[in-house]
Amino acid sequence: MNQIKKRDLAESVVARLIISTISALIVAVNLNSFVQAGDLFPGGFTGLTRLIMRCAWEFAGVELPFGPINIAINALPALFCLKYVGKRFTLWSCFVIVLTSIFTDLVPSFPITEDPLLVAVFGGLINGVSIGICLYVRITSGGTDFIAIALAERKNVNAWNYIFCGNVIMLMVAGALFGWDRALFSIIFQFASTQVIRMMDPDGRRVTLFIVTGREKAGGVCAQIQDTRHTATLIEGVGLYNGEPCVMIYSVVGSNQLRRLTRKV
């Protein structure tokens, strides 16, 4: 049994290493091709990093590297996530942040298209996919994703739309400084990215449970549901086959919690 657990743990670590490396490389290529070619600000802390770099270049003539700035501004949300989500998730996510920062400074820039609308749409889709594949193995690329995951874990809140609104505010600042056309295309980029993340995020999907059981077992079933940080509604009923009283427990839980919860029930 211990050997099986060790093998499963090793496979999990290898899978996370491979996925986190692929995701970081996709983000770096996307930043150095679509984002840079379109002169976009992709939102989140990545967009904030690009905004700082752009301001330093435009107003001070200083070319700043992407990596150190991106790592520095991700430090605070990483501490927030460490407190409210957990050590393993935060450390793996920090690993992705470091890889992304390194790859972004190393991968050469190669523009694929100069059409700003194509850059915004397909750049956003690729960005969303890179974040989504991380979420499947319980890793994130950092920044605002840290905040969204923490809110989902602690408050059961799907925060991606709120994150999108915050990004719009940041992009309006970028638009006021560097031109509204790029800011508007950046909003399209972020919208496309957010929608892909919402579709791929396992914590963002919900399933409805209808559980019929005897009155004496209802308390134990409800306790298992409450362990997932969800609540339930208990409806009294009568079984038509034998006329005995029963209860139906109604609840809505995250799809990623379904298998573990049904096994416990």
Side-chain angles (χ1 to χ4, degrees):
M1 183 64 69
N2 290 333
Q3 291 181 347
I4 294 176
K5 289 183 178 180
K6 290 180 180 179
R7 185 182 64 187
D8 292 342
L9 178 61
E11 291 177 353
S12 175
V13 170
V14 171
R16 288 189 173 194
L17 279 172
I18 294 173
I19 289 177
S20 58
T21 303
I22 292 174
S23 176
L25 186 58
I26 292 174
V27 171
V29 171
N30 193 36
L31 287 173
N32 289 339
S33 55
F34 286 97
V35 174
Q36 186 169 326
D39 195 18
L40 303 179
F41 300 94
F45 281 39
T46 302
L48 181 59
T49 301
R50 280 189 54 82
L51 182 60
I52 293 172
M53 294 170 62
R54 181 70 180 274
C55 289
W57 176 252
E58 291 289 335
F59 302 119
V62 178
E63 185 175 358
L64 298 176
F66 178 88
I69 301 174
N70 189 50
I71 293 173
I73 64 176
N74 271 283
L76 185 59
L79 292 175
F80 177 78
C81 197
L82 180 64
K83 179 178 179 180
Y84 290 106
V85 180
K87 182 187 296 184
R88 180 183 300 178
F89 173 82
T90 306
L91 290 177
W92 274 108
S93 300
C94 289
F95 176 68
V96 176
I97 294 170
V98 173
L99 278 183
T100 302
S101 301
I102 294 172
F103 287 158
T104 302
D105 286 331
L106 293 179
V107 172
S109 176
F110 49 95
I112 296 176
T113 176
E114 295 182 357
D115 188 309
L117 183 58
L118 290 177
V119 167
V121 173
F122 285 95
L125 293 176
I126 294 171
N127 186 68
V129 169
S130 67
I131 296 173
I133 61 175
C134 277
L135 293 176
Y136 267 115
V137 290
R138 299 293 298 157
I139 307 174
T140 183
S141 58
T144 52
D145 298 346
F146 274 145
I147 301 172
I149 297 297
L151 289 175
E153 288 282 341
R154 303 296 295 184
K155 302 295 184 181
N156 194 28
V157 174
N158 189 342
W160 293 115
N161 281 338
Y162 299 103
I163 298 297
F164 173 69
C165 293
N167 287 330
V168 169
I169 295 174
M170 188 199 72
L171 293 172
M172 291 179 68
V173 174
L177 292 174
F178 304 113
W180 290 107
D181 56 341
R182 297 306 173 190
L184 293 174
F185 281 121
S186 296
I187 292 175
I188 296 175
F189 175 99
Q190 190 59 36
F191 179 79
S193 178
T194 302
Q195 298 311 306
V196 173
I197 294 170
R198 289 185 63 195
M199 288 188 295
M200 297 182 66
D201 179 16
D203 290 333
R205 295 192 294 271
R206 298 289 183 263
V207 293
T208 302
L209 299 179
F210 293 97
I211 304 170
V212 179
T213 185
R215 288 179 177 177
E216 69 280 359
K217 298 181 179 179
V221 173
C222 290
Q224 297 299 329
I225 294 175
Q226 289 172 344
D227 283 344
T228 66
R229 298 191 181 95
H230 294 85
T231 187
T233 299
L234 190 146
I235 304 170
E236 297 281 352
V238 177
L240 295 180
Y241 178 73
N242 51 21
E244 293 183 357
C246 64
V247 296
M248 183 178 72
I249 300 169
Y250 165 82
S251 183
V252 178
V253 301
S255 61
N256 62 317
Q257 300 168 322
L258 178 62
R259 181 179 298 177
R260 180 168 55 90
L261 180 58
T262 52
R263 187 164 56 244
K264 287 185 176 182
V265 170

